[in-house]
């Protein structure tokens, strides 16, 4: 079995010894933390094996806390709607709606940036830290897309894997006033939200039985065991999922940012 004892758990930047800077965010508890507002769309039944079950009100302006960006962020990634880079995994199509938390109006032209691990729990730019040897192009499963006039960012990726100490999740940032560059990346602007997206455990159980996820030798941390997810449902970033492990999933969430 591969030795993964060297793999760092994802901890708040200040705990990990990183200086507190512009990306340092709070692990707030409850409504006292003002950052992102988030609520789920209507749940669509998931026949394989059970529907996602976020717990949130229908108010898309419900505020929730921001979460750590973690140790694997890379600046200025590609602006693109498909971030897979050919990575194997169960297809995942995300539809994330960004709204102004004060008015509930859609926020167009905001860049929604995502990054997450592959099926074996490895991040591009850091391959090997979860104990698996594979090619690393530095860009797989990273990138962002601008919201349309309805505030919707549609991104194609694969269902993430897991690494030691964390449940399955996707990191997300929302930026405003960024400038696309001629080589397909972006620069400048303001980060107005840093958070994470989470997955229903019943869905993840089905995913974990499918290749290549089933070859991940690292013990999986569940939502209930995770040190960051707080069982708050959609208000803590739990996606609404529909689909199956054999055909792929669609994930939706409404992000209400405090501008």
């Amino acid at each position: 079995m591969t030795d993964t004892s060297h793999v760092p758990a994802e901890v708040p930047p200040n705990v990990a010894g990183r200086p507190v800077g512009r990306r340092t965010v709070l692990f707030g508890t409850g409504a006292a933390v003002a950052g992102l507002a988030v609520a789920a769309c209507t749940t669509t039944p998931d026949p394989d094996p059970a529907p996602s079950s976020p717990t949130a009100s229908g108010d898309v302006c419900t505020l929730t806390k921001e979460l750590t960006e973690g140790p694997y962020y890379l600046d200025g990634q590609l602006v693109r709607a498909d971030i897979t880079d050919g990575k194997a995994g169960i297809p995942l199509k995300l539809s994330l709606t960004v709204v102004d938390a004060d008015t509930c109006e859609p926020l167009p032209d905001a860049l929604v940036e995502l990054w997450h691990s592959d099926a074996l729990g490895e991040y591009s730019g850091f391959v090997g830290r979860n104990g698996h040897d594979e090619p690393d192009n530095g860009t797989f499963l990273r990138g962002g897309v601008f919201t349309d006039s309805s505030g919707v960012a549609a991104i194609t990726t694969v269902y993430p894997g897991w690494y030691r100490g964390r449940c399955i999740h996707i990191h997300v940032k929302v930026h405003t006033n960024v400038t696309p560059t001629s080589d397909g990346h972006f620069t400048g602007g303001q980060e107005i939200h840093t958070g994470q997206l989470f997955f229903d455990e019943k869905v993840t159980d089905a995913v974990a039985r499918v290749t290549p996820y089933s070859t991940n030798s690292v013990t999986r941390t569940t939502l209930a065991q995770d040190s960051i997810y707080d069982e708050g449902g959609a208000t803590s970033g739990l996606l609404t999922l529909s689909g199956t492990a054999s055909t792929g999933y669609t994930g939706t969430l409404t992000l209400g940012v405090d501008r």
Side-chain angles (χ1 to χ4, degrees), residues 92-184:
L92 174 65
K93 293 185 179 297
L94 294 171
S95 181
L96 304 175
T97 303
V98 181
V99 300
D100 186 302
D102 292 328
T103 65
C104 289
E105 292 297 318
L107 186 62
D109 300 320
L111 183 75
V112 177
E113 181 186 14
L114 303 181
W115 70 102
H116 64 84
S117 69
D118 66 9
L120 298 182
E122 300 290 351
Y123 280 85
S124 57
F126 303 90
V127 166
R129 294 197 180 184
N130 203 39
H132 303 94
D133 184 18
E134 59 184 57
D136 187 356
N137 64 1
T139 64
F140 67 75
L141 305 177
R142 296 180 182 273
V145 67
F146 287 98
T147 56
D148 63 17
S149 60
S150 298
V152 177
I155 300 175
T156 297
T157 185
V158 296
Y159 205 100
W162 61 91
Y163 54 96
R164 185 175 65 84
R166 286 303 317 278
C167 68
I168 288 180
H169 62 282
I170 291 177
H171 292 272
V172 58
K173 283 184 184 285
V174 179
H175 309 255
T176 57
N177 301 317
V178 304
T179 302
T181 59
S182 59
D183 60 356

Side-chain angles (χ1 to χ4, degrees), residues 244-257:
T244 69
S246 57
T247 62
Y249 293 98
T250 297
T252 59
L253 200 64
T254 296
L255 309 177
V257 295

Side-chain angles (χ1 to χ4, degrees), residues 187-200:
T187 187
Q190 296 82 42
E191 294 175 7
I192 61 174
H193 173 66
T194 300
Q196 297 182 26
L197 309 176
F198 298 96
F199 296 80
D200 187 275

